Amino acid sequence: MKNQALAKDPFQPFDSSQCTALATQLDGWELNAVLISPSQCQALMSHRVLGIRKVELASQPSFIHGRVTRIELTHIEISALPPCPANRITLSFKGVS
């Protein structure tokens, strides 16, 4: 089967609704685990319906319009991608303030 990914039309205007959807896209996601080592920073996130996803520092997960900009022992930060205005969402372990 041939991969039929379509290129984005560079003349089509950017869909700005993606900018306001970052927080909504993270609804229901929980931080489950964090792995920080000298060679990598990873986190496991889970969603009741969508399952478990592994994210890495500086990665752009396919399920959100954002980039993982920080992974700490207690939380991760996801920032909106340009051309969206600066916006950061923090996911923490349950019970951590």
Side-chain angles (χ1 to χ4, degrees), residues 52-86:
I52 297 173
R53 300 284 195 280
K54 177 176 73 169
V55 296
E56 296 183 4
L57 186 61
S59 69
Q60 183 179 333
S62 61
F63 55 97
I64 57 169
H65 185 71
R67 180 179 317 278
V68 179
T69 52
R70 185 177 215 158
I71 297 179
E72 298 289 335
L73 291 176
T74 58
H75 66 279
I76 66 173
E77 286 181 3
I78 300 173
S79 297
L81 293 173
C84 296

Side-chain angles (χ1 to χ4, degrees), residues 18-33:
Q18 294 179 26
C19 297
T20 57
L22 180 60
T24 305
Q25 291 170 348
L26 290 171
D27 280 349
W29 286 97
E30 295 180 1
L31 182 60
N32 295 106

